[in-house]
Amino acid sequence: MVNSTMLALGQTRSCIRELFEYGLRRAAAGERVYDFSLGNPSIPAPPEVNDHFVSILRNMDSLAVHSYTQAPGTMDARQAVAEELNQRYGADLRGENFFFTCGAAPALVSVIRALATEGSEILAITPYFPEYRPFVESSGAAFVPVPAEKETFQIDCTALEARVTPRTQAVIVNSPNNPSGVIYTRETLKKLAEVLTRKGAEYGHPIYLISDEPYRELVYDGAEVPFVPDIYPNTVICYSYSKSLSMPGERIGYVCVPDRVADSEEVFAAAAGASRILGHVCAPSLQQRVVAACAASRPDLGAYDRNRTTLYDALTSYGYQCVKPNGAFYLFVKAPGGDAQAFSDQAKARNLLIVPGGDFGCPNYFRASTCVSHEMLLESLPIFEDLIKSYL
Ligand code: PLP
């Protein structure tokens, strides 16, 4: 006998993974596959990242590099990350505000577990990263999706306000967004802050904002990604270097609880406690040192930008409807015919792998990742064009 909730979670295949593995099988059988399923970075980490991995291994005492660090990470690394954000945003963060995690996923789980209380509710904006639902539901809180504005995918603050109740503990936002690629504007975030401040005062407890920021550095056309804690003080950041330094397999990110967060010491301690029972303390020591040295490094985003504009221009010229993304590396496109699962199945029959939007809370959209080879993207265009013709 095993835990039935965990069994159900383990037996439910992620639709993205299934598509990806289907593609691998077709490719192994010698077929040409056009795989837009995964969000796996397709540009290399900045050269200094690899240089630091090598030089730390060459020059540091081997025992020290491979040993456990303090549970939240080394203070040197935590301070380096704080200083980089302070320089960039004029913030006043300290090393003590940070603890390192194995990427954004464990950071989110820890913060959600820290904030979820019996009977509480945690909101997320649709479209949302599919893992938010199991992260929240396994914490005992209820997961409450809030539809975004239809035409822009900005937060619909009126819809959000209607779903805030005395049980609302937190709202999860993700900008630049997976899957829409949209960046929430300063104006949107200010409206959100106004609603959360007002509702928090009305219900007599803070409503926390969990800002999930793995795509913070993946921005195009000079768009601004506002620093969320500047706009709403009760913001806890969950960050990852998976996409920003193109190293998802190295599993490194952090939770940041700024001092201005209400009950910040308790929130930090509860997130650290959650991290402890999840077995996540003490993120990889080598990676902590690398990200501390490379806190200000950024990869060259030219290839993502070229894919983004090529795919957006081509699809919209064929008649597809899509908000032009200015961040992350995805296009979220209205499915011709309105049923994204049916459309994705049709595409799959031609080895074009696109993700139906049901798991993102939008069953009438599909997601195409643009972290792919440009050559493959160009070859796929006639298939996209053919597929929409039967709907026009
Ligand atoms: N949040 C969002 C919005 C993501 O897209 C992802 C990964 O794709 C994660 C969190 C998890 O990131 P990590 O690989 O750092 O755990």
Side-chain angles (χ1 to χ4, degrees):
M1 175 101 118
V2 294
N3 180 296
S4 56
T5 311
M6 294 304 140
L7 180 64
L9 278 171
Q11 286 181 333
T12 322
R13 302 291 322 276
S14 135
C15 141
I16 301 175
R17 286 267 149 200
E18 252 178 33
L19 273 172
F20 172 65
E21 283 161 27
Y22 172 86
L24 291 181
R25 287 197 300 277
R26 307 301 331 149
E31 295 178 21
R32 183 63 166 135
V33 176
Y34 309 95
D35 185 358
F36 293 85
S37 63
L38 272 193
N40 215 358
S42 60
I43 57 175
E48 62 274 24
V49 168
N50 291 351
D51 291 348
H52 275 100
F53 270 107
V54 173
S55 95
I56 292 167
L57 286 173
R58 286 233 167 89
N59 302 322
M60 256 189 86
D61 168 30
S62 167
L63 208 54
V65 180
H66 298 303
S67 62
Y68 291 124
T69 64
Q70 294 89 328
T74 72
M75 189 44 86
D76 283 355
R78 293 159 76 196
Q79 265 162 1
V81 171
E83 273 157 30
E84 198 272 327
L85 288 175
N86 290 345
Q87 271 186 14
R88 205 164 11 143
Y89 298 113
D92 53 0
L93 298 164
R94 304 174 295 124
E96 286 80 353
N97 300 126
F98 290 78
F99 74 82
F100 281 105
T101 58
C102 298
L108 285 160
V109 176
S110 300
V111 172
I112 289 167
R113 287 282 165 108
L115 297 177
T117 52
E118 198 53 44
S120 63
E121 293 166 354
I122 296 187
L123 279 53
I125 315 301
T126 303
Y128 50 79
F129 180 53
E131 296 300 277
Y132 294 160
R133 181 183 285 280
F135 290 172
V136 170
E137 289 179 345
S138 66
S139 75
F143 179 75
V144 183
V146 180
E149 279 179 10
K150 279 203 172 58
E151 298 308 316
T152 60
F153 285 133
Q154 293 288 316
I155 301 171
D156 180 340
C157 290
T158 312
L160 182 117
E161 181 161 359
R163 283 165 178 81
V164 173
T165 74
R167 294 179 298 283
T168 305
Q169 269 286 76
V171 177
I172 308 174
V173 290
N174 164 227
S175 168
N177 184 263
N178 172 11
S180 71
V182 160
I183 298 174
Y184 297 148
T185 62
R186 185 172 286 277
E187 196 195 346
T188 295
L189 292 168
K190 277 187 177 164
K191 276 193 216 154
L192 172 68
E194 189 275 317
V195 171
L196 299 186
T197 307
R198 186 158 40 74
K199 287 295 191 183
E202 183 182 333
Y203 297 138
H205 65 81
I207 300 174
Y208 293 98
L209 197 56
I210 303 173
S211 184
D212 178 25
E213 307 186 352
Y215 301 96
R216 186 170 64 210
E217 333 306 346
L218 271 54
V219 179
Y220 315 100
D221 299 336
E224 182 203 17
V225 180
F227 188 57
V228 187
D230 270 353
I231 300 173
Y232 185 65
N234 288 325
T235 300
V236 177
I237 299 172
C238 296
Y239 187 78
S240 168
Y241 294 90
S242 294
K243 323 283 174 171
S244 63
L245 292 183
S246 281
M247 47 190 260
E250 303 301 350
R251 311 308 302 138
I252 189 80
Y254 60 75
V255 170
C256 169
V257 185
D259 292 331
R260 285 197 300 152
V261 167
D263 304 319
S264 63
E265 285 182 20
E266 281 86 352
V267 173
F268 187 94
S275 174
R276 179 176 162 199
I277 58 110
L278 294 163
H280 286 157
V281 286
C282 200
S285 127
L286 175 59
Q287 277 80 318
Q288 289 183 39
R289 292 184 165 86
V290 170
V291 299
C294 300
S297 295
R298 305 285 176 261
D300 177 356
L301 300 180
Y304 291 157
D305 198 11
R306 186 161 71 135
N307 284 350
R308 173 185 75 109
T309 47
T310 307
L311 192 60
Y312 174 82
D313 289 349
L315 295 197
T316 48
S317 77
Y318 306 150
Y320 289 89
Q321 285 173 282
C322 171
V323 177
K324 189 167 189 182
N326 52 2
F329 44 43
Y330 307 102
L331 245 62
F332 205 46
V333 186
K334 242 185 210 167
D339 178 348
Q341 184 62 58
F343 188 75
S344 161
D345 289 345
Q346 245 186 301
K348 188 175 163 191
R350 301 189 57 181
N351 280 355
L352 174 65
L353 308 183
I354 48 176
V355 184
D359 286 354
F360 301 99
C362 294
N364 49 344
Y365 279 76
F366 69 83
R367 186 189 81 173
S369 297
T370 49
C371 43
V372 296
S373 104
H374 194 65
E375 184 204 1
M376 187 277 285
L377 187 153
L378 292 178
E379 278 181 45
S380 74
L381 295 181
I383 306 178
F384 276 110
E385 188 174 14
D386 249 24
L387 283 169
I388 198 174
K389 275 189 183 147
S390 57
Y391 295 92
L392 295 175

